[in-house]
Amino acid sequence: MSDKDFEQMLKDLRQQYLEKQSDTERTTVSDKGEVFTPVSQEEKRNKVLEALHLLEEKKLLLSNKLDDLHQQAASYEQISKLKHQIEALKHKQSLLKQKLEYIDSGESDFVKKEKLKRQLTELELKRCRAILSKKSCDKIDQKINQKKDLLKKIK
């Protein structure tokens, strides 16, 4: 292959790459608006409630199947498999309930951090006042250390 043919082939490949790149950029830009929109707390709550409802329906279906298998005297394998699936659904359901409680509490990590920082500054002020009035700061120091440990856990 001559150098001119090779150069021409490279130009063609670059052109094709740039055309494909611009096509994908157009599609991803329009999709970004839909994919990365922030979801409100109410929408999150509704999605979790829907998922909980679906899990409850699945659990009822599986428990009905399990009852039918017990009546039909099915194999131990089938029964244990259904029991395992029901347990997995219960576990998912408990996780979703925890998520729902977290959403309902309305506290995010950022809010918790800010709250702890405020509490730390208040405790520091108390310690300064205690030092100025020549009182013992042991309890205040313990509380400050506890708050700092909590802050480290959140970060």
Side-chain angles (χ1 to χ4, degrees):
M1 182 181 288
S2 68
D3 289 338
K4 289 183 181 182
D5 291 338
F6 183 73
E7 291 294 325
Q8 184 61 36
M9 193 168 91
L10 275 177
K11 285 180 184 178
D12 292 341
L13 287 173
R14 282 188 193 120
Q15 187 64 29
Q16 287 176 358
Y17 174 77
L18 291 174
E19 287 173 2
K20 286 183 182 179
Q21 193 72 13
S22 63
D23 289 344
T24 57
E25 284 177 5
R26 278 187 238 127
T27 57
T28 55
V29 169
S30 64
D31 292 343
K32 280 183 185 176
E34 297 168 10
V35 174
F36 296 110
T37 56
V39 180
S40 70
Q41 294 289 359
E42 190 61 32
E43 290 172 336
K44 287 179 187 177
R45 189 174 194 287
N46 289 336
K47 285 183 180 183
V48 171
L49 286 174
E50 287 174 19
L52 277 171
H53 181 69
L54 288 174
L55 284 176
E56 188 65 34
E57 288 177 356
K58 286 181 183 179
K59 196 168 78 170
L60 285 173
L61 274 169
L62 289 177
S63 61
N64 289 338
K65 274 187 182 180
L66 185 64
D67 292 339
D68 292 342
L69 286 178
H70 279 297
Q71 290 173 358
Q72 296 172 359
S75 71
Y76 176 76
E77 246 180 57
Q78 292 174 334
I79 292 173
S80 64
K81 184 178 177 182
L82 277 178
K83 284 183 180 179
H84 179 69
Q85 288 176 348
I86 290 172
E87 288 299 317
L89 287 176
K90 285 181 183 178
H91 181 68
K92 285 181 183 178
Q93 202 171 20
S94 68
L95 290 176
L96 283 175
K97 285 180 182 178
Q98 288 176 356
K99 189 172 185 177
L100 186 64
E101 288 174 7
Y102 177 75
I103 290 171
D104 288 341
S105 73
E107 277 195 33
S108 64
D109 285 343
F110 177 75
V111 173
K112 288 180 184 178
K113 283 180 194 176
E114 293 301 315
K115 186 176 178 181
L116 279 173
K117 286 179 184 178
R118 282 193 303 273
Q119 290 173 351
L120 272 172
T121 53
E122 289 172 7
L123 287 171
E124 292 286 341
L125 286 173
K126 279 186 181 180
R127 183 170 54 177
C128 290
R129 288 185 195 128
I131 290 172
L132 287 175
S133 62
K134 297 180 183 176
K135 293 182 181 176
S136 175
C137 303
D138 295 336
K139 290 182 181 179
I140 297 172
D141 288 334
Q142 288 175 349
K143 289 180 182 178
I144 288 173
N145 290 332
Q146 290 173 350
K147 297 293 180 181
K148 284 183 180 180
D149 291 339
L150 286 174
L151 191 63
K152 287 178 186 176
K153 287 180 183 177
I154 291 175
K155 289 181 182 180

